[in-house]
Amino acid sequence: MSIIKAEGIYKTYNETHVPVNALNGVDLQIEQGEFTAIVGPSGSGKTTLLNIIGGLDLPSKGNIFIEQTNLKDLSSKQLIDFRLHHIGFVFQAYNLIPVLTAKENTEFIMVLQKRPKKEREEKVKELLEAVGIGDKANHRPGQLSGGQQQRVAVARALASQPKYIIADEPTANLDSKSTHELLDLMADMNKKYQTTFIFATHDQRVMDKARRIVTLDDGKITSDETFDR
Amino acid sequence: MLAAIAWRNLWRNKLRSSVIFASITIGIIGAVITDGFMAGMTDQRADAAIANEVSNIQIHNPEYLLNQEIKYTIPDAEGMVTKIRGLSEVKGVSLRLKINAMAASANAGAGINLYGVQPDAERKVSNLHNLLVSGVYLKNDQRFPAVIGQKLAKKLNIGVGDKLIVTLTDTTGTITSGAYNVVGIYKTANDIFDESHVFVKRSDLSKLVGFPDTTGDEIAILLTNNEQTQQVVDKLNKLFAPMVKQKAILIQSWEQIQPLIKSMIDMMDYFSYLFLLIILAALAFAIINTMLMSVMERTREFGMLMALGMNRRKIFTMILTETIFLSIIGALLGLGISILIVNYYATHGFDLSSVARGMNYLGYSAQIFFRVNSQFYIMSMVLVVIIAMLSGISPAMKALKLQPATAIRENN
Ligand SMILES: Nc1ncnc2c1ncn2[C@@H]1O[C@H](COP(=O)(O)OP(=O)(O)OP(=O)(O)O)[C@@H](O)[C@H]1O
Ligand SMILES: [Mg+2]
């Protein structure tokens, strides 16, 4: 059974004078353990789709199931709780709480999940080592490079032990070396923890690492390819 | 962890936070100093009134209070005095013979209250013997001595060693005169009192009006502790219940005798709190503005926190906690500095000599010793926190209205 099943998703933004149809009937299934890139030109609806999959926004039409749960059936309060326990996020920028250290940022999500202190500490240590920030655990985001900050964000996303992690252009602000490192890291984590990753990107280097590439154009899926790597 | 984040967030924009700390600090200092000044002034007035003028409790024949005629004396006054002196709360009791009279020197005349007192007993009840500016206090072996206030001395243009002629109506209704030797001149902070209160020996005065020396129309009682005033009044009312019931005597506390002082104290209290509230209301707007700015600047951050799964209640709590920290720091600074200032002026006094003439005329001392009761400090702290919580609500609501998807997209 798929962990994500999107059926006939439409999204229209009505906030502007002219309504914008960002998604025009998207059907998509994601299986456990995938490492999938959503690609397409600017304005094609990548962010919109990821927001809907990530439970940050609701579709105007269509259903989105996370395993058995239809996100439509959740109240806004339940949706927040659902995100906390089941979905991990890595954003393009401003991922971290600036006043908390790398360690505290990673621990924070588990505090919200009310996990016991001992478990939190072990997990934080393990993950920061895994993403290669072990020696900078007590640095605040301002004292870390962009690539290091994104690594901490990945560690935090993993710390919540989500069903899947959503990453919207996680490498957009990084130079090519950091981009490679971050992608390798995510691929490693995907293998090591069997965590599903779905990311949106423009970047050819990122696409080269993906095992599945879903292409969007004008709010529709125009191709869906799988690679063996 | 929320509290830790809130605390650290305070220091993200140090200048902005410092401005708020400073405003709250100055506001609190203003309120506390005002209270210290006003409370010090009124308390001092009350203390002086008790020590020099009215003592804690007075007993009269109720008829005397209405007519001020000397025939309305207190029945069995000496017996009562002995009983009262036996009470443990009582520091001193004085039986006085109080008569309205005209005082005259060679140059001028004035209406006065003439008090016949027993020097030793009076010393234990009133502090006047410590407030002499020249001469000495009444003594038993002096011949027809009188102690007068400085204001009256000036008015009559007399000094120590001069003669004072008093004219009054005796028990038979005849107008008589007596001559006294001025032996001492006192000065309190209350000009009106100094102008009208003349003290002579009770034995001299009763002889002049034709009473035995055991008579009196006023019993003044000083207590060791002013707080016990009402308690002792109740006790005395029980002790002399038959006489009280027959309306032969009336027992009054200083608050009843000088209701103006009591209402001044209450009013000053009320004004202090009013002033504090006005200051805090002004501060509330500064706090709301600061927190709104701080929330707007962090739109993306709140979007991120909501996306991660931080619920609205926690975000609300975090912003409110920040607001409370912000104001508590300001309040603690303000209270700390205020306590130092109040303590300084509580011991050294705040000199108002330049306007002292007017102050004395109203019965107030020119040297104000600040006084702030701990209740006012506690209340200002509590009020600051309440105001901070109220001020935090609107910025927090603003943050709650954010939609995570839109907030994150903001100025991407
Ligand atoms: N909140 C919104 N209000 C109105 N229109 C929106 C909103 N969000 C997105 N859109 C529009 O919807 C369409 C899809 O936007 P989306 O951000 O999903 O594209 P994208 O593929 O992520 O683009 P990019 O590669 O530039 O990030 C665009 O035309 C965009 O202008
Ligand atoms: Mg996008």
Side-chain angles (χ1 to χ4, degrees):
Chain A
M1 193 190 147
S2 322
I3 53 169
I4 303 172
K5 195 167 153 207
E7 292 177 343
I9 303 291
Y10 287 81
K11 178 69 181 179
T12 307
Y13 291 108
N14 287 315
E15 295 143 40
T16 43
H17 292 296
V18 193
V20 181
N21 297 314
L23 293 177
N24 297 302
V26 171
D27 295 293
L28 181 68
Q29 293 193 16
I30 307 264
E31 307 298 324
Q32 160 71 35
E34 277 191 23
F35 197 64
T36 296
I38 314 274
V39 304
S42 186
S44 57
K46 304 183 293 293
T47 297
T48 305
L49 180 59
L50 281 192
N51 282 348
I52 287 172
I53 292 177
L56 295 174
D57 214 347
L58 288 173
S60 313
K61 213 171 104 189
N63 288 306
I64 169 108
F65 293 93
I66 310 301
E67 286 172 349
Q68 275 87 0
T69 313
N70 187 343
L71 292 188
K72 250 190 192 166
D73 298 340
L74 301 180
S75 70
S76 77
K77 193 165 179 286
Q78 286 171 322
L79 195 57
I80 294 179
D81 238 34
F82 189 87
R83 289 200 299 266
L84 174 63
H85 288 99
H86 303 301
I87 311 176
F89 292 91
V90 178
F91 303 106
Q92 181 180 329
Y94 304 104
N95 261 301
L96 305 176
I97 301 170
V99 295
L100 296 185
T101 63
K103 179 170 162 276
E104 291 164 334
N105 262 292
T106 314
E107 191 183 350
F108 180 64
I109 191 100
M110 293 190 280
V111 172
L112 291 181
Q113 288 177 329
K114 301 200 169 72
R115 300 234 223 118
K117 187 161 177 66
K118 192 159 178 297
E119 182 194 339
R120 294 196 314 246
E121 278 173 357
E122 283 167 9
K123 193 85 192 163
V124 167
K125 200 162 160 19
E126 174 198 331
L127 285 171
L128 287 183
E129 293 292 341
V131 302
I133 298 290
D135 55 334
K136 299 205 162 52
N138 291 318
H139 287 40
R140 290 202 186 175
Q143 301 164 310
L144 296 172
S145 72
Q148 289 167 338
Q149 289 182 32
Q150 292 304 74
R151 285 157 175 273
V152 176
V154 170
R156 183 189 57 196
L158 290 166
S160 67
Q161 299 184 347
K163 291 195 206 301
Y164 55 96
I165 292 175
I166 298 256
D168 191 0
E169 314 214 24
T171 60
N173 292 344
L174 302 183
D175 60 25
S176 83
K177 182 165 170 280
S178 306
T179 298
H180 273 291
E181 285 172 359
L182 189 72
L183 278 166
D184 288 341
L185 172 71
M186 294 203 293
D188 285 352
M189 296 296 125
N190 167 256
K191 292 222 170 71
K192 186 169 173 189
Y193 296 104
Q194 279 300 301
T195 310
T196 311
F197 278 82
I198 307 149
F199 40 90
T201 188
H202 284 295
D203 193 330
Q204 190 57 48
R205 294 164 302 188
V206 179
M207 296 179 211
D208 291 346
K209 298 266 179 188
R211 286 201 303 275
R212 178 181 174 192
I213 299 183
V214 176
T215 312
L216 273 183
D217 202 351
D218 217 2
K220 280 200 181 100
I221 295 178
T222 52
S223 86
D224 187 346
E225 299 165 279
T226 319
F227 307 89
D228 213 6
R229 43 186 171 227
Chain B
M1 205 164 203
L2 274 192
I5 298 176
W7 174 256
R8 293 184 202 171
N9 277 336
L10 283 190
W11 310 102
R12 278 166 82 165
N13 193 328
K14 292 205 181 65
L15 178 66
R16 195 163 61 198
S17 298
S18 306
V19 169
I20 290 293
F21 295 156
S23 340
I24 298 178
T25 304
I26 293 169
I28 294 275
I29 291 177
V32 173
I33 296 301
T34 311
D35 179 61
F37 179 83
M38 299 204 299
M41 196 163 88
T42 42
D43 284 6
Q44 234 165 295
R45 172 73 192 105
D47 290 352
I50 291 169
N52 306 331
E53 303 167 25
V54 288
S55 63
N56 291 102
I57 300 169
Q58 290 187 0
I59 303 176
H60 299 96
N61 181 330
E63 292 288 338
Y64 176 83
L65 290 176
L66 288 178
N67 300 315
Q68 306 263 324
E69 279 179 43
I70 54 171
K71 62 179 180 192
Y72 300 117
T73 54
I74 298 170
D76 184 29
E78 293 260 273
M80 281 179 69
V81 168
T82 318
K83 276 190 194 145
I84 296 166
R85 206 166 266 146
L87 299 178
S88 60
E89 299 92 339
V90 171
K91 197 171 173 189
V93 188
S94 177
L95 176 63
R96 297 162 171 171
L97 187 59
K98 184 178 161 189
I99 297 169
N100 289 333
M102 282 293 294
S105 65
N107 315 304
I112 56 159
N113 294 316
L114 187 58
Y115 283 78
V117 298
Q118 221 170 35
D120 296 333
E122 184 67 15
R123 271 170 175 271
K124 288 201 184 109
V125 171
S126 138
N127 190 38
L128 281 188
H129 59 274
N130 286 323
L131 300 175
L132 295 179
V133 287
S134 65
V136 294
Y137 195 65
L138 303 176
K139 279 187 210 136
N140 282 325
D141 57 4
Q142 291 159 336
R143 281 183 52 81
F144 298 100
V147 170
I148 67 173
Q150 195 180 43
K151 192 83 182 172
L152 182 66
K154 286 219 177 92
K155 198 167 170 186
L156 299 180
N157 194 17
I158 51 176
V160 172
D162 290 340
K163 278 236 158 11
L164 177 79
I165 312 294
V166 300
T167 308
L168 48 80
T169 317
D170 72 9
T171 40
T172 62
T174 318
I175 293 179
T176 55
S177 289
Y180 293 88
N181 303 307
V182 175
V183 295
I185 294 174
Y186 66 83
K187 175 171 171 27
T188 70
N190 185 352
D191 283 351
I192 294 176
F193 182 88
D194 294 0
E195 197 173 6
S196 55
H197 287 62
V198 172
F199 295 82
V200 298
K201 284 199 298 186
R202 199 174 75 214
S203 49
D204 293 345
L205 187 57
S206 36
K207 214 172 287 159
L208 183 66
V209 298
F211 269 146
D213 189 20
T214 49
T215 352
D217 42 36
E218 177 170 296
I219 296 177
I221 305 165
L222 187 72
L223 305 179
T224 13
N225 180 0
N226 181 34
E227 305 287 313
Q228 293 177 324
T229 303
Q230 195 48 50
Q231 186 186 321
V232 177
V233 167
D234 295 343
K235 210 174 194 176
L236 291 174
N237 271 317
K238 234 177 250 156
L239 192 60
F240 302 116
M243 286 211 273
V244 174
K245 228 174 248 150
Q246 289 164 24
K247 301 218 160 57
I249 57 166
L250 179 70
I251 303 171
Q252 291 173 295
S253 69
W254 65 270
E255 292 171 0
Q256 292 165 309
I257 301 162
Q258 295 260 19
L260 206 62
I261 294 181
K262 174 66 181 158
S263 57
M264 274 304 264
I265 292 177
D266 293 345
M267 204 163 70
M268 291 285 181
D269 242 24
Y270 172 78
F271 273 127
S272 291
Y273 281 107
L274 191 69
F275 191 58
L276 178 67
L277 274 176
I278 291 173
I279 289 181
L280 289 180
L283 288 176
F285 288 102
I287 297 174
I288 291 175
N289 182 50
T290 300
M291 288 310 295
L292 271 180
M293 283 206 299
S294 147
V295 166
M296 307 271 266
E297 273 173 19
R298 288 187 280 158
T299 298
R300 293 204 45 139
E301 199 175 314
F302 287 121
M304 178 264 291
L305 290 171
M306 285 177 179
L308 291 185
M310 185 158 164
N311 61 34
R312 282 157 204 272
R313 193 168 48 85
K314 289 210 172 73
I315 290 183
F316 191 87
T317 311
M318 189 173 93
I319 296 174
L320 226 55
T321 312
E322 269 180 50
T323 322
I324 292 171
F325 280 157
L326 192 67
S327 38
I328 284 186
I329 293 180
L332 286 178
L333 275 175
L335 286 179
I337 298 175
S338 304
I339 289 174
L340 291 181
I341 299 177
V342 167
N343 282 349
Y344 178 84
Y345 285 117
T347 44
H348 293 82
F350 185 79
D351 201 3
L352 274 181
S353 316
S354 50
V355 287
R357 241 170 232 286
M359 297 285 288
N360 273 192
Y361 194 71
L362 295 172
Y364 290 91
S365 167
Q367 185 93 335
I368 309 290
F369 295 89
F370 285 17
R371 212 173 290 180
V372 177
N373 56 20
S374 45
Q375 195 192 330
F376 190 79
Y377 288 125
I378 295 167
M379 272 310 283
S380 33
M381 196 70 204
V382 170
L383 283 173
V384 164
V385 173
I386 292 175
I387 293 278
M389 282 170 71
L390 294 177
S391 313
I393 289 176
S394 119
M397 295 302 278
K398 183 115 193 150
L400 292 192
K401 286 214 188 82
L402 297 173
Q403 291 301 320
T406 356
I408 290 165
R409 195 187 290 265
E410 197 123 301
N411 49 61
N412 215 344

